[in-house]
Amino acid sequence: MARYLVGRIGQAVVVLWAAFTLTFAILYLLPSDPLELQLAAAGIQQDSLTPGQLAALRAQFGLDQSILAQYWDHLIGALHGDFGVSLSQGVPVTDLIGRRIGPTLLLSVSAAVVALIAGSVLAYVATFVRWNPLRVFLTRLPALGASFPQFFVALFLIQFFSFQLGWFPATGSEGAASLVMPVLTIAVLASSVLAQVLIKSFDETLRQPYVMTARAKGLSRTAVHLKHAFRNAALPAMTILGVIVGLTVTSAIVVETVFTREGVGKLAQESVLSQDVPVVLAVVTIAAAVFVVVNLIVDLLYPLLDPRISHTREVVVV
Amino acid sequence: MTPSPSGAAFPAALPDAAGSRLVHLAGLDVGYLRHRAVRPAVIGLDLTVDAGEVVAIVGESGSGKTTTANAIIGLLPANGRITAGSATVDGIETAGASERQLRSLRGSVVGFIPQDPMVGLNPTRRVGAQIGEAVRLRGIAGPAVRTEVLELLDQAGVPDPSLRARQYPHELSGGLRQRALIATALAGRPKLIIADEPTSALDVTVQKRILDHLGGLVRDQGIALLIITHDLAVAADRADRVIVMQHGRKVEEGAPGEILTAPRRRYTRQLISAAPRLAHGGRIVPRFDVRDQATPEPVLVLEGVGKTFGRGFRALDDVSVTVPRGRTHALVGESGCGKTTTLRIALGLENPTSGSVRLGGTDIAGLSWRRMRPLRRTVQLVHQDPFATLDPKFTIGQSITEPLVSFRIGDRRSRAARARELLDQVGLPPAYLDRLPTELSGGQRQRVAIARALALRPDLLLLDEPVSALDVLVQEQILQLLADLQSALGLSYLFVSHDLAVVAEVAHTVSVMSEGRVVESGPVAQVFTSPRTACTRELIDAIPGRKAPATDAA
């Protein structure tokens, strides 16, 4: 078990490093001058500075070094939790993200929880009902939910619940009421993805001979569905749990922009627009870290749900 | 043969005799809804099972025997419909019954033992919990449930019940899982147990032990038993009454003695001749007798082969096997005796820990993959499961020519010609070249697998249980095909099987294996008629059909 854990954490570190490096490479290959962007953000004309002053500034931000040296500095910094200073705002990136990560975390976690419950319930009901028209409708519903663009869902919710009914505020990040529509927007997509996988898995599980055995015992359909089918059907769906959580993180970019919420998502969107390299690098690294950790947790949970899987080494018997 | 109109050939079932009639099917039609049309699976079936009776339904795949069983417990698939007739179980009409009524029958009136024990238990719940569920349905609660579960496991012949109850299904062998399923079926205290091919997925010796045990249990507890099987020999050994089904209809019914001595239908006669022991009146008569013949030069020689896995698990210990050219040598034994490991070593997929493997004069033990590759053309493998060994996306033609493509033999046209020739050799029409495996039956797929194995003109075929996934009639056809190919092409076979009935039909010589060792070997005619070890005797004794009435004409 310990051996397995060490291996998996090693893998996670490699994935994180690869995400960081790839993002760095892409950002630094963009045809723009970081210093120019920074001066523009500060409202200083580049022409008003002497070449000497420019060179001093370059040296101050470490931009006069080779790409490899810069990469190394960034990597070492990131390992110490220091992602440098935002080019557009002149504030340490860590502070910038630290102030905004709370609301985004709240949004993502709430959305993931709602999606998990809604997706599971939908899949459960869709495979349980016997009245065919309802069954067909419920089975097709996730495909519909997964095909609406998120900004469209967001605008629809704003139009209906804010402008017409006035139940929830259309924008802002104050109070629980402001959280409802952003969470719904993300959950529609995330729960649809989950329900699609879970319904297919349920259908397959219900065709298994042990379900027949369970029904032949005289168990009710509810008991068979709950005690025999659900856990087995959930196993393949576990794999996409990491994807679902990742989805809620990336969705935050769209949702926070549409609902003008202060958060890491909106920060990421603004930083990409202003080519604020350190901030983007930090956001991508954090998102990758979340993804890696969730997947690690899922893999560690597997043996608890499926007794056939064990992370301890087995003696090979052919 | 034209089947008679439903039930006309048989006397109408007697009226229910004071509650002793458990199952009464009258003119039952069951069909499956596909593309808005009902395809009939059971047609005009009349069948009765009385309390305490053992009845067997015999028939090949598609004969409607499993559909009949499912209809009796009200567990037809979602597209299954009872379209006519009635099915009364313990006085309750199940055709058109509500789920609630059907539930009151399941478990407590009719217990069910499914076909494949490997997938018949929920993999994520403990064995004891799964049996306990059925006990709780009888209104028992608390610690009494556990006591009864252990008692049931004990009754079903599971050693160390308290350990087994705590384990998950994957920790149990196939035989133990089947016993756990028997315990589950007993848990509801049913009046009838339906066993759907209860043991065909198991070794013959395990199969015999379990069926004997089940037979004893139902007799002692006065439970009626309905056995569904494709093997007339299995049915004849155990049933009071045998019903033969074909294409959804009942074609014959009677006591085993009657049916075996005076079968009325050609189909029944075919089933009898397909079961070696039935055909010879309970005796085993090997087809070949090579006791007094000179042994041809060997194609494959395994000498003193040992294989150790992991931390000292000895899979093989000093195994010596010789396959003479143009002959069939059989490897027999229960699962886990080392048959498959021996086969893998003979194929060069596994290196022996000790000993030598000579293939046509070359020692292949320890050869590199590259040096081994040209030798692979001379040895080919045919697997047990014809449903899993053909790529479902490949046409039959693509599957057969794949070895030629892989060894860069011939061009497109010569390969196509070879594929037609091979199909012809295995008795399939050339039109099958463009078909997909899903369009073929199990027997046809196994023919394709044999054609593919022959594509490179090998000297030796390794046959790993090539017929044990097939119905008896199809088994007989495939065994005949193998014999024909052997005499036409001079092939040698290494035939791995747990079924001695099959081995008696195809093999010249045999090695009996047990726990990684060869315990007995020699000509089949000698080993089968005068076995020297208890292990061989048990295997021979397990061949079904021993109760067949002795006939003079064998």
Side-chain angles (χ1 to χ4, degrees):
Chain A
M1 184 65 202
R3 194 193 179 100
Y4 171 83
L5 203 60
V6 169
R8 279 308 314 263
I9 291 173
Q11 275 177 29
V13 170
V14 172
V15 169
L16 270 182
W17 168 80
F20 179 87
T21 307
L22 205 63
T23 316
F24 182 88
I26 292 169
L27 291 172
Y28 276 79
L29 287 175
L30 288 177
S32 63
D33 183 357
L35 187 66
E36 197 180 319
L37 293 167
Q38 203 166 354
L39 292 175
I44 304 169
Q45 290 285 315
Q46 200 173 359
D47 302 343
S48 66
L49 297 171
T50 64
Q53 284 175 309
L54 278 173
L57 278 172
R58 275 186 195 284
Q60 186 192 332
F61 290 110
L63 294 172
D64 56 341
Q65 291 171 297
S66 72
I67 286 231
L68 268 181
Q70 289 188 46
Y71 167 73
W72 188 248
D73 285 348
H74 275 282
L75 188 60
I76 296 297
L79 284 177
H80 291 87
D82 175 16
F83 285 94
V85 176
S86 160
L87 296 183
S88 56
Q89 305 193 30
V91 188
V93 175
T94 334
D95 292 356
L96 209 55
I97 291 177
R99 257 183 279 134
R100 297 167 184 234
I101 201 153
T104 304
L105 219 52
L106 185 63
L107 174 67
S108 284
V109 170
S110 326
V113 169
V114 171
L116 208 61
I117 295 169
S120 306
V121 168
L122 177 59
Y124 187 92
V125 174
T127 50
F128 188 76
V129 291
R130 277 189 293 182
W131 187 49
N132 210 35
L134 182 60
R135 192 186 174 96
V136 170
F137 171 74
L138 289 174
T139 312
R140 305 273 161 87
L141 202 57
L144 192 71
S147 46
F148 280 128
Q150 281 189 316
F151 74 88
F152 176 81
V153 175
L155 292 178
F156 172 82
L157 289 176
I158 292 175
Q159 176 67 25
F160 194 71
F161 288 108
S162 302
F163 296 165
Q164 293 199 1
L165 297 173
W167 288 359
F168 306 111
T171 57
S173 35
E174 299 305 310
S178 75
L179 199 61
V180 175
M181 290 199 298
V183 164
L184 269 184
T185 308
I186 299 177
V188 166
L189 177 61
S191 63
S192 296
V193 173
L194 179 68
Q196 272 180 316
V197 177
L198 211 49
I199 286 174
K200 195 167 179 301
S201 180
F202 250 118
D203 280 339
E204 233 150 69
T205 307
L206 289 170
R207 279 198 297 270
Q208 295 300 312
Y210 57 76
V211 169
M212 172 100 168
T213 309
R215 293 193 67 196
K217 281 179 205 169
L219 291 175
S220 66
R221 288 182 70 238
T222 319
V224 172
H225 224 69
L226 204 61
K227 291 183 182 168
H228 289 275
F230 189 68
R231 185 152 152 194
N232 286 290
L235 289 173
M238 285 269 291
T239 335
I240 66 150
L241 223 54
V243 178
I244 300 279
V245 174
L247 202 62
T248 61
V249 174
T250 45
S251 300
I253 296 177
V254 175
V255 167
E256 285 177 357
T257 307
V258 175
F259 289 99
T260 41
R261 289 173 61 83
E262 284 304 307
V264 179
K266 188 147 165 285
L267 177 68
Q269 181 252 349
E270 289 163 358
S271 308
V272 169
L273 280 184
S274 62
Q275 297 196 10
D276 196 338
V277 174
V279 179
V280 177
L281 198 55
V283 170
V284 171
T285 308
I286 290 171
V290 169
F291 192 73
V292 163
V293 168
V294 169
N295 274 310
L296 186 61
I297 292 173
V298 167
D299 281 352
L300 292 177
L301 281 177
Y302 253 116
L304 297 181
L305 285 171
D306 189 344
R308 286 165 298 182
I309 295 174
S310 150
H311 292 319
T312 47
R313 270 164 58 86
E314 282 178 48
V315 180
V316 184
V317 177
V318 178
Chain B
M1 181 177 73
T2 50
S4 58
S6 57
F10 309 100
L14 296 166
D16 286 18
S20 70
R21 180 134 298 174
L22 285 177
V23 177
H24 186 181
L25 309 184
L28 186 72
D29 283 5
V30 185
Y32 291 107
L33 203 59
R34 279 203 196 104
H35 309 297
R36 292 171 189 276
V38 176
R39 281 177 36 172
V42 171
I43 305 152
L45 183 68
D46 297 318
L47 182 149
T48 58
V49 180
D50 290 342
E53 206 184 6
V54 179
V55 178
I57 303 181
V58 183
E60 60 198 333
S61 327
S63 63
K65 56 189 194 313
T66 296
T67 303
T68 306
N70 291 349
I72 292 172
I73 36 172
L75 280 179
L76 286 170
N79 63 338
R81 302 274 184 282
I82 293 179
T83 48
S86 85
T88 319
V89 178
D90 201 28
I92 295 172
E93 174 62 54
T94 62
S98 68
E99 173 74 15
R100 180 183 294 272
Q101 277 176 309
L102 290 173
R103 257 190 71 197
S104 70
L105 292 176
R106 289 181 207 137
S108 54
V109 176
V110 186
F112 177 74
I113 302 173
Q115 186 162 3
D116 188 350
M118 305 312 276
V119 289
L121 288 162
N122 183 346
T124 57
R125 299 189 68 199
R126 290 177 204 276
V127 173
Q130 296 189 50
I131 301 170
E133 252 177 358
V135 175
R136 281 203 174 82
L137 283 172
R138 293 208 329 262
I140 294 167
V145 175
R146 192 185 132 78
T147 318
E148 184 152 337
V149 166
L150 298 185
E151 205 172 291
L152 286 164
L153 281 169
D154 187 48
Q155 276 181 25
V158 176
D160 202 353
S162 59
L163 167 72
R164 298 305 178 186
R166 276 199 310 275
Q167 286 181 316
Y168 287 98
H170 72 276
E171 298 172 270
L172 271 58
S173 69
L176 281 179
R177 288 189 217 185
Q178 191 62 282
R179 287 176 191 273
L181 284 163
I182 289 174
T184 311
L186 290 172
R189 300 264 163 89
K191 297 178 185 169
L192 166 72
I193 289 180
I194 298 178
D196 183 6
E197 300 269 6
T199 52
S200 7
L202 303 173
D203 276 5
V204 269
T205 45
V206 182
Q207 175 180 330
K208 176 171 181 292
R209 266 177 246 139
I210 289 181
L211 283 176
D212 286 349
H213 193 84
L214 181 62
L217 278 177
V218 293
R219 241 191 332 277
D220 294 348
Q221 306 191 3
I223 302 171
L225 182 63
L226 180 63
I227 304 174
I228 313 283
T229 178
H230 68 93
D231 192 343
L232 183 56
V234 168
D237 278 353
R238 295 182 167 78
D240 303 324
R241 193 148 51 84
V242 174
I243 288 153
V244 180
M245 282 184 79
Q246 187 189 21
H247 306 317
R249 296 174 199 267
K250 179 165 75 176
V251 295
E252 184 130 12
E253 174 169 6
E258 272 169 53
I259 285 190
L260 294 179
T261 47
R264 276 177 291 179
R265 297 307 183 102
R266 194 164 66 94
Y267 180 67
T268 316
R269 282 194 287 276
Q270 285 176 345
L271 285 176
I272 293 172
S273 64
R277 206 161 192 169
L278 292 183
H280 301 301
R283 291 181 302 127
I284 296 162
V285 180
R287 181 193 285 230
F288 302 107
D289 188 349
V290 293
R291 274 179 289 190
D292 307 321
Q293 294 175 23
T295 311
E297 44 144 350
V299 174
L300 174 77
V301 181
L302 271 72
E303 222 169 69
V305 168
K307 178 73 188 175
T308 309
F309 286 113
R311 282 176 232 142
F313 171 70
R314 285 191 79 81
L316 294 182
D317 191 5
D318 193 23
V319 168
S320 297
V321 171
T322 306
V323 184
R325 188 171 293 278
R327 294 258 174 98
T328 303
H329 184 80
L331 277 182
V332 301
E334 290 186 45
S335 328
C337 72
K339 297 182 305 243
T340 304
T341 310
T342 310
L343 195 79
R344 288 177 64 83
I345 288 175
L347 198 59
L349 290 178
E350 200 92 59
N351 275 322
T353 317
S354 59
S356 75
V357 182
R358 280 202 311 282
L359 186 64
T362 318
D363 193 339
I364 62 164
L367 274 194
S368 67
W369 188 266
R370 185 199 293 268
R371 301 263 310 280
M372 183 64 207
R373 191 163 152 84
L375 291 172
R376 281 195 203 291
R377 287 182 57 174
T378 63
V379 193
Q380 292 290 314
L381 175 70
V382 177
H383 277 286
Q384 172 173 11
D385 187 355
F387 293 88
T389 53
L390 295 176
D391 188 323
K393 294 280 193 314
F394 274 26
T395 64
I396 300 310
Q398 281 173 314
S399 278
I400 294 180
T401 51
E402 204 195 6
L404 301 174
V405 175
S406 151
F407 275 92
R408 301 213 175 86
I409 294 168
D411 54 19
R412 185 182 291 267
R413 279 189 46 198
S414 70
R415 282 175 197 154
R418 177 81 177 123
R420 277 193 295 279
E421 186 191 351
L422 286 163
L423 273 189
D424 185 53
Q425 281 180 343
V426 298
L428 291 175
Y432 276 57
L433 280 179
D434 297 322
R435 301 218 180 158
L436 288 171
T438 46
E439 301 169 57
L440 271 58
S441 69
Q444 289 173 331
R445 286 184 214 202
Q446 199 57 300
R447 284 171 190 268
V448 172
I450 293 170
R452 177 176 60 182
L454 293 176
L456 293 168
R457 303 182 197 278
D459 299 327
L460 174 65
L461 280 194
L462 305 183
L463 303 157
D464 187 7
E465 308 260 8
V467 295
S468 52
L470 305 172
D471 282 353
V472 276
L473 283 185
V474 185
Q475 280 190 5
E476 198 195 18
Q477 293 162 10
I478 297 290
L479 294 178
Q480 188 56 49
L481 172 70
L482 287 171
D484 293 347
L485 288 170
Q486 184 164 50
S487 54
L489 304 173
L491 290 167
S492 317
Y493 298 142
L494 179 62
F495 192 102
V496 170
S497 181
H498 63 79
D499 189 348
L500 267 65
V502 168
V503 170
E505 287 294 289
V506 294
H508 300 87
T509 50
V510 62
S511 297
V512 182
M513 294 188 70
S514 176
E515 292 173 3
R517 291 165 172 275
V518 174
V519 294
E520 189 162 359
S521 65
V524 172
Q526 179 193 317
V527 173
F528 280 26
T529 48
S530 48
R532 281 183 288 117
T533 59
C535 170
T536 314
R537 271 192 292 277
E538 194 185 0
L539 282 168
I540 291 172
D541 201 33
I543 304 176
R546 73 203 122 98
K547 284 195 192 152
T551 47
D552 299 326

